[in-house]
Amino acid sequence: ARGLAARGPTAALQVEGATIHWRQRHDLVAAADAFLRAAELPGAPFYAGRIYAELLVALGRKREARDWLRAWLPRLPADQPAARVGVVAARLAELDRELAARP
């Protein structure tokens, strides 16, 4: 048996690492990077992508958050409540408004 490392990172492991960076180490940059890696892996929980966007906002990177949500939203399954498509669309619209209002 080759062990877990031989199979590569899983979404669950990436989320676990991201959560440790975020909640225990208070390292938002590392947490954002790990949530992005998680969100891009098969089987990732949908919230990983939403948290990634919110961490970008917290880091002052609203344009990146908006761009991520804009690209990610069409990939979300509308028939799965956990994807929270309406929440993502609303957050995207909010970021669009905020960025449009900037001088």
Side-chain angles (χ1 to χ4, degrees):
R2 294 188 102 199
L4 188 58
R7 291 187 294 240
T10 64
L13 286 175
Q14 287 296 326
V15 166
E16 186 69 24
T19 303
I20 290 168
H21 286 301
W22 182 25
R23 296 297 188 187
Q24 300 299 318
R25 297 182 179 153
H26 308 287
D27 183 343
L28 299 187
V29 172
D33 290 344
F35 274 114
L36 173 60
R37 285 192 305 273
E40 292 179 333
L41 287 170
F46 298 114
Y47 66 79
R50 294 191 303 269
I51 293 173
Y52 170 63
E54 292 309 315
L55 289 173
L56 289 177
V57 170
L59 289 165
R61 295 161 53 184
K62 285 186 179 182
R63 286 189 193 289
E64 287 178 64
R66 184 219 31 216
D67 293 347
W68 161 256
L69 292 177
R70 187 176 287 149
W72 188 55
L73 181 59
R75 300 187 325 220
L76 294 175
D79 64 340
Q80 292 188 31
R84 313 244 349 229
V85 172
V87 169
V88 174
R91 186 60 171 129
L92 174 57
E94 182 179 348
L95 287 169
D96 277 335
R97 284 190 303 275
E98 289 176 15
L99 290 167
R102 280 188 167 178

